[in-house]
Amino acid sequence: MKKRILIPTDFSRNAFNAIKYAMALYKREFCEFIILHTYYHSGYSKDNFLIPEPSEKAHKAAKESSEERMNKLKQQMGLYEKNDNHDFQFLSEFGSFFEVLKKVIEKEDVKLVVMGTRGETDDNSVILGSNTVNAMEKVRNCPVLGIPANTAYKDPNEIVFPTSFKTHYKERELETLVEISRITNAPIRILHVKKGKQLTEDQEKNKELLERILDAAEFTHHKLYDIDLQEGVRCFVQSRESEMIAFVNKKHNFFGSIFSNPMVKELGMHTTVPLLAMHDLRN
């Protein structure tokens, strides 16, 4: 069965770049790419009975506009060299972005979502588009890979994986990280930012478990001492010119602290580092 990868599009340059990135990343793998556009009527909410439902004429116009733009996208993609490993499905769906996204992920058994990190305006003042950040936080049943604007694909030189060793990882949680490492020959750099203390017994066990899970990939351990976590990750990535960051989104914990920090603002504005958000499946 082919791996199903979902790529939302708003027909912006950055959304198209995310499609090209995903196709190049999985160029040697058998995949089905689901290109999804969601359309909605401005101001309409099914939860607010005071707002009338859009007329059939307005709904039809929005549907036709979405399908017309999707056809143009198909033509644009037809200009690229065909890869026999890849199949494509194009969906135009009515509904709010996250409702449709979750429905399609569940229905199609999607294994990865790939998104550009800016919206249809391609506005340089926008750091990480709100849809991308929200997808990384709200989509719990598959990883989300965010591709910064204008990032041309190349196999990443390495993938930085920050960890506190406080999480009891599962193989399923990290399989996308191991897969990307394998198909790109990119070693994983396990980064632990220490606060001067020795690892506890539980942390040592989690470290051993992590090593067993990552055994199929090449990895090395790295430490930084007495530095803020986000600053440590930023400095490590910048000094080594690392080309991808992966992390496990522990609900309301590690993820939240990263995305409220200037590190991600800098990544979004000034670098071309894709971010892979995986999930703590116990949540």
Side-chain angles (χ1 to χ4, degrees):
M1 185 174 169
K2 291 191 173 185
K3 180 186 182 81
R4 288 197 176 104
I5 298 173
L6 177 61
I7 312 174
T9 183
D10 56 8
F11 306 112
S12 64
R13 287 173 301 163
N14 197 39
F16 187 67
N17 187 57
I19 295 173
K20 292 193 296 180
Y21 190 100
M23 289 168 59
L25 177 62
Y26 283 93
K27 58 183 174 286
R28 303 178 192 92
E29 307 298 307
F30 291 100
C31 298
E32 180 178 359
F33 295 99
I34 301 170
I35 314 300
L36 171 68
H37 179 248
T38 61
Y39 59 95
Y40 212 47
H41 300 292
S42 178
Y44 172 64
S45 170
K46 68 179 181 181
D47 299 323
N48 188 338
F49 296 109
L50 298 176
I51 300 175
E53 283 196 41
S55 67
E56 187 176 332
K57 182 179 179 182
H59 183 85
K60 184 181 178 183
K63 183 174 186 288
E64 289 177 349
S65 173
S66 175
E67 291 174 350
E68 183 181 339
R69 296 174 81 187
M70 189 66 87
N71 283 329
K72 287 180 180 177
L73 176 61
K74 287 182 194 178
Q75 292 171 11
Q76 191 178 3
M77 291 179 63
L79 301 175
Y80 287 84
E81 186 177 351
K82 191 175 185 302
N83 186 333
D84 291 335
N85 293 338
H86 295 166
D87 291 328
F88 293 89
Q89 183 181 163
F90 297 87
L91 297 178
S92 289
E93 297 277 342
F94 174 77
S96 69
F97 178 72
F98 285 105
E99 284 182 5
V100 174
L101 192 68
K102 289 179 179 180
K103 182 185 76 174
V104 173
I105 289 170
E106 190 70 31
K107 180 184 175 185
E108 301 289 347
D109 191 24
V110 168
K111 298 301 184 186
L112 176 66
V113 174
V114 180
M115 296 179 67
T117 55
R118 289 191 189 135
E120 60 184 339
T121 59
D122 289 318
D123 183 355
N124 287 335
S125 67
V126 176
I127 312 302
L128 289 178
S130 60
N131 276 347
T132 309
V133 172
N134 286 332
M136 287 180 170
E137 190 164 24
K138 293 177 181 177
V139 174
R140 305 301 304 176
N141 45 355
C142 75
V144 176
L145 178 62
I147 310 300
N150 305 316
T151 301
Y153 181 79
K154 66 185 288 288
D155 288 346
N157 59 349
E158 62 184 17
I159 306 169
V160 178
F161 181 67
T163 178
S164 63
F165 297 122
K166 291 179 180 177
T167 297
H168 185 85
Y169 292 119
K170 292 183 173 66
E171 199 165 330
R172 266 194 318 139
E173 293 168 349
L174 300 178
E175 62 184 12
T176 302
L177 170 61
V178 173
E179 176 184 67
I180 291 177
S181 173
R182 174 183 61 80
I183 66 179
T184 63
N185 293 313
I188 298 166
R189 308 305 185 195
I190 302 170
L191 177 62
H192 178 47
V193 179
K194 297 188 67 171
K195 296 296 182 182
K197 298 178 182 177
Q198 292 299 312
L199 294 181
T200 65
E201 187 177 339
D202 283 343
Q203 283 176 303
E204 289 286 2
K205 287 180 181 177
N206 289 335
K207 181 180 177 182
E208 290 175 12
L209 174 62
L210 179 62
E211 289 176 345
R212 288 201 299 273
I213 292 172
L214 298 183
D215 186 58
E218 180 187 343
F219 64 85
T220 54
H221 283 282
H222 303 265
K223 297 176 187 175
L224 292 175
Y225 293 89
D226 298 319
I227 188 172
D228 177 76
L229 171 65
Q230 293 79 21
E231 180 68 12
V233 173
R234 185 186 63 80
C235 290
F236 188 85
V237 168
Q238 284 189 350
S239 66
R240 298 171 61 91
E241 298 184 346
S242 310
E243 291 168 344
M244 186 175 288
I245 298 172
F247 57 92
V248 171
N249 170 5
K250 290 181 67 179
K251 219 169 186 179
H252 308 307
N253 190 346
F254 188 65
F255 178 90
S257 64
I258 274 194
F259 274 83
S260 61
N261 188 274
M263 181 189 84
V264 171
K265 292 181 180 178
E266 290 189 30
L267 288 176
M269 285 289 280
H270 304 302
T271 70
T272 54
V273 180
L275 294 169
L276 174 66
M278 299 168 290
H279 302 287
D280 184 342
L281 296 178
R282 290 170 299 172
N283 287 332

